[in-house]
């Protein structure tokens, strides 16, 4: 850069700086108003702003070129003019607020004026023309300031365009007829829509901001004018409320996102391990949210009422530890098995009293208990299905696998979340491998050398796995049976292992079997993705089998307990009768007081619900212990050993055999899903389980985050996260359904214990509902219910549902067919259009937007065809930092401000690369200083030599 | 961010929220990140929309972009001047388009721009080669590269002009299962 220019420019800026600032400030407000006014008359204009801009630019170009010739002499005049104007406008540096107020005032005035439009039109028109001129002038000056020049340019463009069209439109505006109001309304709606969808538009932020401002101004201005006469106030009120509502919604949205926990933690994990590992943590978080709600239900509607309003501990037998257990009730070993005080606390079913109503609020606890128990399932089902539906919308619509193998790999395989060098390296490697695999596949299409051997191996593998599954099922059954025998023996004689055998064995199986399956699966030699599916399916089967065996064994136990309970019940009833008989014969009275026995001494039944609840809680706890221990030993200890023993070992531990652990996504997800299944099943018998689960998830979040960041390495083979979200959800749904079955079965068929729990004394649990319907609801409602439960009505209802199912199924098939047809048609149409188009002009909006996203044309040296421009044109446009080179900017504009502006927007097909590297051929007019250079940070990096 | 000085006016924040997928807090955080890149360039006070641009070389040092093979292209695509100098508006724009909530259509458009290395509005074989080389760090042999490029072209090019137009690209990407989950940057 020649140094003298700097001086020159500095002076210029000193001279001009202030005025420009002022002028532009007040001017832009002015313009905004004007624009808003004019916009009313051009509805179609708004719909295609892009093309308009272009036109404007083209319109403007010649005009400016003409003007440019006398740019220099005019300069001072213009300045004067500007100065005057700014004086008129109540002085420079009017802060924005002030200007805005002003503009608002004026817009009101405008509105008034509009009413008595007839006379004012001509005057107004003149005014407008004046303004237009100024606008242009200003535009030129605006360019002096390197800073805001772009924006202003746009403003000018807009204003000039609007004013050019305004003269024709003004006459239309004179009277606001019905039709016009309707049109106006439509436009306002359109604007609103634009505001709402602005974020989805692929435009530059600047343009978006400008458009937003415009649209908002427009809406603001005309919304009020829409209502008429009486309706106006109401309308204004409505508009105001709508605005408030929007604001509130946004604030609420902000609040909601602020409430989402662990955003940063997950981001850390994500950037280290890619989206697949993070998807597990997101799933964990989702689960936490779900469980929080369940916890809210359980504690808010069941546990708290019972604690606050129910009878206190020790008042009735079910809330008291029996005499023979009281000595050991506080022992740690007993408590850790959830015996002793735990067993008779609010954590378990048995604690709850069967009074129909409790407390001053007359809270119907038994009813609430049943409804919450069922409601938990209902809510979970709803949430899971809703999430699945939402996820399925997001996923790609799934072309046939293999249609786009290479292009998908090319364009969608990089995980943009990765921010860790190691992961990135792994990703590079895995992408390379997958490409190579695909190439090999493509080249030979998998010739099977010995298909018989492979088949045999696969059958063998499946046989082995089936055996393992059966074996594990039997083992569990055996263990549960044995534990029942143990339970009958004296507790003191049993070792810890014998007491916790069931949980221990189940956890052990869960730990050992998956790796075993993986080893067996080696035999099969499937493609990794298919292998993964098999593996998941097998682990799923294992867990499920174990869980159900456990359940069946439990049901055996329950039935046994029901038998003993019956005898105990008979015994108690008999004892009571004896007592009554004795009492009445002894004191010779019929008014017998109840037997005075301490609640701790009352004979009581085994309370099978508590036993089931304890079983589930123990299972969950041991699951937690095992999984945490696995992490601690399998990941942390291993990492420590590998890290520190590596200094004195004969081979490289880090790269060689033990190496660091990888995060086992599928295993963890399945673990979480099954844990949730146990919670669902157990929550009915142990309300405290939900709370326990909350703690588990919470600690697990922190613990696993720590573990994964501290001792795991990124995957070498990256587990496909594709649609895995819905995959997890599908698993969850299945587990939910499977855990729903036993609970509902128990509620419907087993009779509750006679002396514990909220349903004691009822024949069936759901009798609570019946009772409520009969006693508390108005009689006609209970009538309706009795009709509704009539088999004669249920049968037709079921039939109807089946029919509806059939119908909907048929309809959905029809839709699918139509969908396919449409897709095919679309494809055909696309082909046709392409053939027709000859790559000449792009017709659709998206293409235009796309082109608009090309680097700003005006920042690039003009093609050689144009009249040779002085070198500083580009500088003027390009240098964005007036701080550093204000001079160049100012001068450049003064000399030659229009060429670059006049360069048409790249609407025409772009056949040359606009980038700097190809530059204008023969552009010997000196360097092309990009903004980067302007800042003295070295030129723009040119990386993409093609 | 942390201190009391206002970075944005209420209006600006509202406008940004209207134009992007971010909440106000995220916008402020973005400004913090932006400022972090060039503390001496970027002022704390953005109420008067200063026209500051941070050059590409600084932007790509962000951990979110550092490891991305297409980082330069991303930044260039979102910069208004095409050289990768980002004003704060561009910066917000970039992360808004790449954030989780932005719709598939928008992402597709920007992805197309990013992969269109020579900016001719088509993804031609050269672009494919560049993409592939960036993805694999040049590990593939030239024969493999050209094979893969041919295959991709064959798959995605519907009209047989041996370059991918936007509609080709859109068609291909709209069916891809991984696109949405992979094409996002969390800020």
């Amino acid at each position: 850069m020649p140094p003298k220019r700097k001086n020159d420019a500095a002076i210029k800026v000193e001279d001009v700086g202030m005025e420009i600032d002022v002028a532009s400030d007040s001017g832009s407000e002015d313009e905004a108003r004007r624009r808003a006014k004019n916009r009313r008359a051009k509805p179609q204009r708004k719909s295609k702003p892009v093309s308009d801009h272009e036109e404007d630019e083209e319109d403007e170009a010649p005009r400016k070129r003409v003007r440019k010739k006398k740019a220099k002499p005019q300069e001072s005049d213009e300045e004067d003019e500007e100065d005057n104007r700014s004086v008129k406008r109540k002085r420079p540096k009017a802060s924005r607020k002030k200007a805005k107020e002003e503009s608002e005032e004026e817009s009101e005035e405008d509105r008034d004026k509009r009413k008595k439009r007839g006379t004012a039109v001509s005057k107004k028109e003149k005014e407008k023309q004046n303004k237009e001129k100024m606008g242009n002038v200003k535009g030129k000056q605006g360019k002096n300031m390197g800073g805001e020049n772009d924006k202003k340019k746009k403003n000018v463009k807009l204003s000039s365009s609007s004013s050019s069209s305004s003269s024709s439109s003004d006459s239309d505006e004179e009277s606001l007829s019905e039709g016009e109001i309707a049109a106006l309304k439509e436009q306002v709606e359109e604007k609103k829509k634009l505001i709402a969808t602005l974020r989805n538009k692929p435009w530059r932020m600047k343009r978006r901001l400008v458009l937003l401002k415009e649209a908002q101004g427009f809406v603001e201005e005309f919304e009020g004018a829409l209502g008429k006469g009486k309706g106006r106030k109401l309308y204004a009120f409505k508009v105001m409320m709508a605005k408030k509502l929007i604001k509130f919604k946004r604030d609420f949205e902000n609040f909601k996102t602020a409430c989402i926990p662990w955003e940063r933690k997950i981001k850390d994990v994500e950037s280290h391990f890619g989206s697949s590992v993070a998807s597990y943590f997101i799933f964990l978080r989702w689960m936490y949210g779900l469980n929080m709600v369940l916890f809210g239900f359980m504690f808010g509607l069941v546990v708290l009422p019972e604690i606050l309003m129910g009878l206190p501990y020790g008042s009735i037998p079910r809330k008291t530890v029996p005499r023979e257990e009281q000595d050991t009730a506080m022992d740690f070993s007993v408590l850790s098995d959830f015996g002793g005080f735990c067993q008779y606390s609010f954590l378990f079913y048995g604690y709850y009293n069967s009074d129909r109503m409790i407390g001053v609020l007359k809270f119907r606890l038994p009813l609430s208990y049943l409804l919450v128990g069922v409601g938990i399932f209902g809510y979970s089902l709803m949430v899971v299905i809703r999430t699945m539906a939402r996820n399925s919308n997001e996923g790609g619509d799934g072309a046939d696998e293999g249609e786009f193998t290479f292009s998908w790999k090319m364009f969608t395989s990089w995980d943009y979340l990765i921010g860790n060098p190691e992961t990135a390296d792994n990703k590079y490697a895995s992408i390379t491998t997958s490409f190579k695999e695909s190439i090999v596949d493509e080249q030979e299409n998998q010739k099977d050398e010995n298909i018989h051997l492979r088949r045999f191996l696969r059958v063998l593998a499946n046989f082995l796995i089936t055996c393992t599954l059966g074996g594990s099922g039997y083992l569990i059954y055996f263990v549960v049976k044995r534990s029942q025998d143990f339970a009958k023996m004296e507790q003191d004689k049993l070792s810890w292992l014998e007491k916790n055998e069931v949980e221990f064995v189940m956890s052990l199986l869960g730990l050992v079997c998956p790796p075993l399956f993986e080893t067996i699966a080696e035999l099969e030699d499937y493609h990794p993705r298919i292998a993964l599916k098999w593996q998941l399916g097998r682990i799923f089967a294992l867990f499920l089998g174990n869980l159900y065996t456990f359940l069946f064994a439990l049901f055996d136990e329950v039935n046994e307990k029901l038998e003993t309970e019956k005898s105990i019940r008979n015994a108690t009833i008999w004892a009571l009768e004896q007592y009554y008989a004795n009492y009445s014969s002894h004191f010779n009275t019929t008014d017998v007081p109840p037997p005075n026995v301490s609640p701790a001494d009352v004979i009581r039944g085994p309370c099978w619900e508590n036993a089931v609840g304890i079983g589930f809680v123990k299972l969950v706890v041991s699951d937690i212990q095992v999984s945490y221990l696995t992490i601690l030993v399998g990941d942390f200890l291993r990492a420590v050993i590998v890290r520190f023993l590596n200094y004195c070992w004969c081979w490289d531990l880090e790269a060689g055999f033990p190496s660091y652990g990888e995060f086992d996504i599928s295993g963890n997800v399945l673990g979480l899903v099954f844990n949730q299944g146990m919670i669902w099943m157990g929550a009915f018998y142990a309300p405290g389980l939900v709370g326990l689960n909350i703690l588990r998830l919470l600690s697990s979040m922190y613990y696993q985050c720590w573990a994964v960041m501290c001792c795991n390495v990124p995957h070498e083979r990256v587990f496909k996260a594709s649609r895995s979200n819905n995959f997890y959800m599908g698993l969850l749904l299945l587990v939910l359904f499977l855990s729903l079955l036993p609970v509902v079965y128990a509620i419907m068929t087993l009779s509750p214990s006679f002396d514990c729990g909220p349903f004691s004394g009822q024949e069936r649990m759901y009798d609570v509902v019946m009772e409520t319907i009969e006693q508390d609801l108005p009689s006609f409602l209970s009538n309706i219910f009795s009709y509704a439960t009539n088999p004669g009505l249920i049968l037709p209802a079921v039939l109807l549902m089946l029919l509806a199912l059939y119908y909907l199924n048929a309809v959905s098939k029809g839709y699918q067919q139509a969908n396919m047809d449409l897709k095919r048609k679309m494809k055909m149409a696309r082909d046709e259009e392409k053939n027709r188009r000859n790559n000449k002009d792009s017709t659709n909006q998206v293409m235009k937007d796309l082109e608009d996203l090309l680097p700003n044309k005006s920042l690039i040296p003009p093609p050689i065809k144009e009249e040779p421009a002085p070198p500083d044109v580009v500088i003027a446009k390009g240098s964005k930092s007036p701080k550093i080179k204000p001079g160049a900017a100012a001068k450049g504009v003064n000399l030659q401000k229009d060429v670059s502006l006049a360069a048409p927007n790249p609407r025409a097909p772009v056949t040359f690369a606009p980038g700097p590297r190809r530059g204008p051929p023969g552009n010997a007019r000196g360097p092309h200083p990009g903004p980067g250079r302007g800042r003295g940070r070295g030129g723009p990096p040119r990386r993409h030599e093609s | 961010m942390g201190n009391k000085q206002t970075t944005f006016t209420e209006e600006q924040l509202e406008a940004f929220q209207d134009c992007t997928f971010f909440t106000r807090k995220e916008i402020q955080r973005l400004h913090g990140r932006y400022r972090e890149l060039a503390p001496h360039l970027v002022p704390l006070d953005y109420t008067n929309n200063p026209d500051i641009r941070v050059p590409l070389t600084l932007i790509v040092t962000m951990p979110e972009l550092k490891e991305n093979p297409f980082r330069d292209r991303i930044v260039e695509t979102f910069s208004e001047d095409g050289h990768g100098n980002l004003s704060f508006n561009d910066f917000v724009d970039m992360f808004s388009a790449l954030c989780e909530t932005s719709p598939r259509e928008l992402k597709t458009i920007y992805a197309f721009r990013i992969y269109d290395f020579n900016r001719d509005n088509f993804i031609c074989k050269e672009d494919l080669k560049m993409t592939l080389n960036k993805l694999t760090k040049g590990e593939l042999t030239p024969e493999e590269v050209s094979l893969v490029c041919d295959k991709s072209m064959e798959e995605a090019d519907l009209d047989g002009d041996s370059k991918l137009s936007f509609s080709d690209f859109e068609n291909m990407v709209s069916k891809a299962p991984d696109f949405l989950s992979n094409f996002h940057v969390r800020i």
Side-chain angles (χ1 to χ4, degrees), chain A residues 366-661:
Chain A
L367 182 69
S368 159
Y369 195 103
L370 186 76
L371 290 186
V372 166
V374 176
I376 279 181
F377 283 104
Y379 178 77
S380 311
L381 202 66
M382 197 185 76
V383 169
V384 170
I385 287 180
R386 213 181 50 192
T387 315
M388 277 181 88
R390 203 183 307 139
N391 281 352
S392 71
N393 283 342
E394 277 170 13
D397 55 357
D400 314 323
E401 195 93 352
E403 196 186 344
F404 292 118
T405 336
F406 283 100
S407 10
W408 281 351
K409 277 204 180 103
M410 185 95 83
F411 292 118
T412 67
S413 60
W414 184 263
D415 190 344
Y416 278 58
L417 284 166
I418 291 174
N420 172 300
E422 203 177 335
T423 318
D425 280 343
N426 282 344
K427 189 79 193 179
Y428 282 124
S430 92
I431 288 175
T432 312
T433 327
S434 78
F435 267 120
K436 281 191 172 151
E437 270 173 15
S438 301
I439 291 170
V440 172
D441 281 1
E442 192 65 31
Q443 274 167 352
E444 45 185 301
N445 265 335
Q446 288 245 316
K447 279 177 256 162
D448 253 353
E449 65 284 357
N450 191 347
I451 200 156
H452 294 297
L453 177 67
R454 180 164 295 173
R455 268 187 196 154
F456 170 73
L457 283 178
R458 283 183 185 174
V459 169
L460 181 70
N462 276 317
F463 176 72
L464 285 177
I465 284 168
T466 319
C467 285
T468 320
L469 285 177
S472 77
Y474 177 73
L475 191 61
I476 287 175
Y477 192 77
F478 173 75
V479 168
V480 173
K481 277 285 172 202
R482 216 160 75 119
S483 78
Q484 286 163 13
D485 296 340
F486 285 144
K488 282 175 202 149
M489 289 156 63
E490 272 185 59
Q491 294 290 305
D492 305 338
K493 286 182 190 165
L494 299 175
S495 65
W496 177 84
L497 188 67
E498 281 169 331
K499 268 195 250 175
N500 295 287
E501 210 172 33
V502 183
E503 294 78 29
F504 187 70
V505 167
M506 278 188 75
S507 303
L508 205 66
L509 281 176
L511 206 63
V512 170
C513 284
L516 190 68
F517 289 166
E518 212 161 328
T519 322
I520 295 175
E522 299 271 303
L523 286 177
E524 295 177 307
D525 197 22
Y526 277 124
H527 187 275
R529 206 179 306 157
I530 302 170
L532 186 74
K533 273 183 192 155
W534 277 97
Q535 171 77 356
L536 285 177
R538 280 163 188 164
I539 298 176
F540 196 78
L542 172 79
F543 280 10
L544 214 62
N546 292 357
L547 209 60
Y548 260 67
T549 333
F550 174 74
L551 270 181
F552 282 128
L554 219 57
F555 270 121
D556 276 0
E557 196 186 333
V558 165
N559 283 332
E560 224 166 85
K561 283 211 165 137
L562 278 175
E563 289 301 315
T564 50
E565 191 188 84
K566 220 177 256 170
S567 59
I568 291 178
R569 189 181 185 181
N570 288 340
T572 30
I573 289 171
W574 183 77
L576 210 60
E577 272 170 4
Q578 284 282 327
Y579 163 78
Y580 280 133
N582 284 345
Y583 195 89
S584 49
S585 64
H586 198 255
F587 293 99
N588 208 3
T589 168
T590 49
D591 185 23
V592 185
N596 187 17
V597 187
S598 152
D601 294 329
V602 173
I603 308 167
R604 54 181 93 184
C607 195
W608 62 267
E609 290 95 340
N610 260 5
V612 172
I614 289 175
F616 275 112
V617 173
K618 273 171 146 179
L619 209 58
V620 169
V621 167
S622 77
D623 184 45
I624 297 173
Q625 285 166 349
V626 168
S627 58
Y628 282 16
L629 271 180
T630 320
I631 292 174
L632 203 61
V633 175
D635 287 329
F636 183 65
L637 207 64
R638 177 170 160 190
V640 167
I641 289 174
V642 167
R643 175 81 178 76
F644 291 106
L645 275 190
N646 203 25
Y647 295 122
C648 49
W649 204 258
C650 24
W651 69 82
D652 190 1
L653 286 174
E654 282 183 341
F657 161 59
S659 158
Y660 296 105

Side-chain angles (χ1 to χ4, degrees), chain B residues 100-148:
Chain B
E100 209 171 1
T101 35
S102 87
R104 179 181 278 270
E105 294 77 33
L106 193 63
K107 286 190 171 187
T108 313
I109 288 172
Y110 282 109
F112 182 74
R113 278 260 75 87
I114 286 171
Y115 293 121
D116 179 14
F117 280 80
N118 54 15
R119 302 174 192 172
D120 59 357
N121 251 333
F122 288 101
I123 294 184
C124 54
K125 220 163 243 181
E126 287 305 310
D127 297 324
L128 284 183
K129 265 182 199 158
M130 301 270 278
T131 311
L132 190 56
N133 281 332
K134 281 194 181 288
L135 265 184
T136 57
K137 281 194 166 171
E139 294 272 316
L140 298 179
T141 62
E143 292 82 46
E144 284 171 329
V145 168
S146 68
L147 179 76
V148 169

